[in-house]
Amino acid sequence: MFDYHIHSRVSFDGHNTGLEMALAAKAAGLREICFTDHIDYDPFATEQIMVFDNDVYAAAYDHLEVPGLAIRRGMEFGLEPDNQAQFRLDAARRDFDFILGSIHFVDGLDVYFEPYWKHKTQYQAEHHFLEQTLACVQAHDGFDVLAHLSFISKSPVNPAKTLLKYEDHRDIIDEILRELVRKDKGLEMNTSGVDRCGGYLPTADVFRRFHELGGRIVTVGSDAHQAHRVGQYTFDACEILKDIFGYVCTFENRKPIFHKL
């Protein structure tokens, strides 16, 4: 199976080396992984610690091999409605196999932390996050797959401690999905919410709707920042996508490969 969202120490918040993460993937029975280290720009930071160093990245991965495990090289770029020029610069750092587009900041605030949630209901916080997501997928063409559409559900300060529900935001989620379909971009089933907020990010009903609207590219990622989380719940996620799509995708040289399940 596959895990296409992994962070080693190359990312500012990673805990293990690339080799340790790869060996954990092999031990978990995975066939292929992709390292997707962070490039995320905090609008208010004086030093951009969330941007990996090219030399560190190359040293970690360029000669990394584990027999029986395919290893791809990617990145996770933090999308903003107006950072297309920065995206192009970072996408040209090297020949990546895969680029995840993600949304972590809204109005200059990281949605994971309390300042973003201040004076907002759960619905307001979620809807504003989705508005930013829509603006980003409309503005950007260069990413391959949209990561964790309901990332905001993982926030420990979410007052309701529940997953973002498709039915609560049907219209705007449909707009996001239609834009992904129009641009032939993929959607990630991120497994990191299963033991943190009770489910996949986003939930299976969003993938069913994506399929109905003509979406064809789907990936699975654990979003692991520690070796013991590599591949976590990815086999179960593949079973869900098998029922909906019949396959899951990997990437090589920015091109999707469809694996029948």
Side-chain angles (χ1 to χ4, degrees), residues 123 126-127 130-131 133-134 137-138 149 164-179 206 209 213:
Y123 176 86
E126 290 175 345
H127 201 77
L130 291 170
E131 288 174 334
T133 301
L134 177 60
V137 298
Q138 288 174 333
L149 172 60
L164 185 153
K165 296 181 176 62
Y166 170 63
E167 290 299 330
D168 290 346
H169 306 279
R170 173 185 286 270
D171 290 346
I172 192 165
I173 291 176
D174 278 0
E175 286 190 68
I176 294 166
L177 299 180
R178 287 191 179 98
E179 191 68 9
V206 175
R209 183 60 173 152
L213 292 171

Side-chain angles (χ1 to χ4, degrees), residues 95-200:
D95 293 328
F96 292 106
D97 287 302
F98 179 60
I99 297 180
L100 280 171
S102 62
I103 291 85
H104 297 119
F105 287 88
V106 177
D107 299 332
L109 299 173
D110 191 326
V111 302
Y112 194 76
F113 298 110
E114 192 274 337
Y116 172 77
W117 290 81
K118 194 172 182 180
H119 306 308
K120 294 185 183 76
T121 64
Q122 182 188 12
Y123 176 86
Q124 290 169 335
E126 290 175 345
H127 201 77
H128 194 37
F129 171 77
L130 291 170
E131 288 174 334
Q132 178 82 345
T133 301
L134 177 60
C136 288
V137 298
Q138 288 174 333
H140 281 268
D141 295 315
F143 69 98
D144 299 315
V145 169
L146 179 66
H148 45 50
L149 172 60
S150 52
F151 169 78
I152 194 170
S153 297
K154 281 207 303 186
S155 170
V157 296
N158 178 350
K161 309 296 183 189
T162 57
L163 289 166
L164 185 153
K165 296 181 176 62
Y166 170 63
E167 290 299 330
D168 290 346
H169 306 279
R170 173 185 286 270
D171 290 346
I172 192 165
I173 291 176
D174 278 0
E175 286 190 68
I176 294 166
L177 299 180
R178 287 191 179 98
E179 191 68 9
L180 293 176
V181 171
R182 186 180 75 80
K183 294 184 174 183
D184 200 24
K185 304 301 181 184
L187 187 64
E188 174 197 62
M189 179 170 277
N190 187 293
T191 68
S192 66
V194 173
D195 59 358
R196 294 183 180 182
C197 53
Y200 299 98

Side-chain angles (χ1 to χ4, degrees), residues 7-12 14 16 37-38 51-53 56-57 60-61:
H7 301 275
S8 77
R9 285 181 188 164
V10 173
S11 288
F12 74 99
N16 294 92
D37 288 292
H38 286 293
V51 178
F52 67 73
D53 179 271
V56 173
Y57 188 105
Y61 304 137

